[in-house]
Amino acid sequence: MTNTTGFTLKELSDLSESPLLTLLDHICEGSIIVDDRARILFISDKYRKVLGIDRKLAAKGMPVEELIPNSMMRQVVNNGQPILLDLLRARETWMVVTRIPIRDQADKVIGGIGFVFYKDMDYLKAFVDKYGRLRGLPTTAEQQLASMRDTKYTFADYIGQSEPVERLLQRARRAAELDTTVLLLGETGTGKEVLAHAIHHASVRTDRPFVGINMAAVPDNLMEAEFFGVAPGAYTGADKKGRKGKLQLADKGTLFLDEVGDLPHSLQSKLLRVLQEQEFEPLGSNDVIRVDVRIIAATSRDLKAMVETGDFRADLYYRLNVLPIEVPPLRDRVDDIELLADAMIRKIAHGLGVSRKWLDADALAYLKAHDWPGNVRELQNMLERTFIFSQSSTLSAEEFHSPSMDRPTETAAPAIEPLQSIVAKAESDGIRKALELTDNNRSQAARALGISRANLYEKMARYGL
């Protein structure tokens, strides 16, 4: 039964007291009723307990998303279509739920009802195991591959409690529940890769491989082989056994396309086909390989502007832009700097095997006042550099002003700066200037500097650019 029909508005309001709902609520882990505008009419005490909501909170009349941010009840009452079996994540727990529209005698949707069947997915283990056997469980080799390509980060690793971060994580967690393409947009160093790992880790594909590829780090002439793999003997010198590409390695899992704005134009149409058809042909082969891959893409470039200039295919842009997530720069979340700095200092101290250090009030104020063009990565580099040079257990603002700790006084003889430092400063200034002149186009900047994109990205990471 996919609909409840024949109700009046009064009967809908009184439905929470009906014997049938009482019975269902006793069997299930919780229930909720909303009106045709997705406002809560009733939520059971059991559901409140599952969600961690105070029983005294007057929930009636609230939009359902205020209590359950990931709720799909609004979709059910808007389109009148039931969602008979779904997974809902709340308080780090996956729940098995069902949602059904409620109709009046004229067959008009006047509300919806939802039930939590299980608040622990372990109840579904037997069902999932059976489905896995029908579909084909991963082999031991596939399980080993997945473990080798496991995620490094979870949502707990994206540190911050500011309002922009709360909004970001709420949207990212929703993206983890929806097995669809995600596009992470934000400046370099904002933590897009951490979010990509976290989304995969919180998704239903968490036990499958997470495979990443940085478009800027692979030469254009090797990109196709890297993506699609190479058939045996495809060209002179090719491996006789062939080689799997990143797409095939990511089968059943997630493929992370970092800096997708740097994808060569010649490969954009081929990637589009993969997104649309979930199939591809290895280099030098006529065999079509089907894959089940979830795409998470990230870029620090303005893809929409690139579409207008013809540097990026419009159809690929719209196919990637299914669920865009804006990652805020550090200057928009300065309230998180103290938390970030504390976590980074503890990690630096642990990595060096020394006692941790602390920020004094002036140092913290200095960090909060900085513009952070390199975002979190720049903060990490600055803290690590200052931590190493500081002789004190407390880091002061002056030490951040003078990270070398060797600036001569007016009466001291001029210090001779090491050649390595001079070269590093020249490289950093040259890269910054090239990026400014090319409007942050890394490919053009690399060509202008006479280096590869991979070399450019390595130097940018080294200098916190």
Side-chain angles (χ1 to χ4, degrees), residues 362-419:
D362 289 341
L364 181 60
Y366 171 79
L367 295 179
K368 288 186 174 183
H370 189 58
D371 191 46
W372 299 114
N375 293 292
V376 177
R377 186 180 294 129
E378 183 185 357
L379 175 62
Q380 169 77 30
N381 290 349
M382 183 180 287
L383 285 170
E384 187 168 1
R385 185 170 60 240
T386 306
F387 186 104
I388 292 171
F389 281 111
S390 176
Q391 302 298 316
S392 171
S393 61
T394 302
L395 305 179
S396 65
E398 289 74 17
E399 291 174 306
F400 285 98
H401 283 295
S402 307
S404 69
M405 304 294 292
D406 289 324
R407 185 170 59 190
T409 62
E410 292 181 2
T411 57
I416 299 175
E417 191 173 358
L419 183 60

Side-chain angles (χ1 to χ4, degrees), residues 230-233 238-243:
V230 180
D239 193 330
K240 293 181 179 180
K241 296 181 180 180
R243 183 169 67 88

